[in-house]
Amino acid sequence: LSLMEVEDLILLFTLVCWKKLVRTTTTTMGKGGKTQKADDKPSPKAVESKPWTSPYNPLDPKAPPLPSKGEILAVIPPECFERSMLRSFGCAFRDCAMSAAVVYITNMFLSTDAPAEWSAWLLWRFAWVCYAVVQGTILTGLWVVAHECGHGAFSDSKLVNDVVGFILHHALLVPYFPWQFSHAKHHKRTNDLVDGETHCPMIAEEYGVVDGKRVTKMAEIHPFVEDEGFAVIVLFVHLFIGWPLYLLGVWSMGRLGADGKPFDGRVPDHFRPNSSLFPPKMRGKVVLSTATMLATFGLLFKLSMDYSFTAVALWYLYPYVVVNVWLVLYTWLQHTDPSVLHFGA
């Protein structure tokens, strides 16, 4: 057998095992300890458990008109539009202080050198996972502060907003100005399958199902792992690598470029000044953000050389992954509930 044939056999064996595992774990214990298969007749309680759907149907000719944006803004109390630079900086400094405290306490009890004995290694690994979860959750707060800067809600000063947002976002490997542009498009065309941005659900053709036929590897995997297994794969991709893939322009992006035309093979990444995602007026800001991103990566590389890659991964990269998980999770849930309508296509 060739190496490719061996790899295909391993993949097929893995998929078959996964399918068996999914079928086993989707059974439940019935009365008297008897096993009830998932495809048996569901209980009345299970039948009643359906996704909530809004009674309002915008396609119904008799549906009452929705309030305009101006009418909604008119009933919001004026104090909700008041920006407080003092409070905003207070939130930023609070999160920075919490992050520094976690680093200080962790450094007192943990080393980046892995123990040789396996039980001690497991405890060491668990402790660093706890650090990553706590630190990543705190840093998510700073991500949100930078998000508010991008919306102009941090203060009344655009310069202050952009400086603070630029520093915080690049510290978390987010190109601030390119993200600010695409994020504004996301809010302008929320849940638009054609002209939206981020968390745009993929249609059948994009998953590789054309005229009822599966034409890509991703589509061919589905029959082996079934719905539950496929959901796990999609969940992993979204939460752990979805955000970097989006910034690179290969996942979860919109379908129209800045020129209003479909991408058609053009890559809408957040790093090139001539990316189809941006109009020409954005090129200077894109160059500045990309240069700062490269400088940040250069700093991480130098720290890896000085202290080891393991140290940088434990202190920074693992919390960074947790930040991305939180970011994608709460945004994804906001846009993919069965009751949320999507437009376009």
Side-chain angles (χ1 to χ4, degrees), residues 233-295:
I233 295 173
V234 173
L235 187 65
F236 173 83
V237 172
H238 270 77
L239 294 183
F240 290 94
I241 60 176
W243 176 246
L245 290 180
Y246 166 69
L247 292 179
L248 292 170
V250 297
W251 183 274
S252 192
M253 59 282 178
R255 293 173 173 85
L256 298 181
D259 55 4
K261 299 178 181 179
F263 290 128
D264 288 337
R266 298 179 297 168
V267 181
D269 63 276
H270 285 69
F271 303 102
R272 293 177 301 121
N274 61 342
S275 169
S276 54
L277 183 62
F278 308 116
K281 66 179 182 179
M282 278 292 299
R283 289 177 180 173
K285 290 184 175 181
V286 175
V287 170
L288 177 60
S289 288
T290 301
T292 307
M293 289 285 290
L294 291 175

Side-chain angles (χ1 to χ4, degrees), residues 204-205 208-215:
E205 288 78 5
V209 180
V210 180
D211 296 329
K213 298 180 179 179
R214 304 177 189 275
V215 297

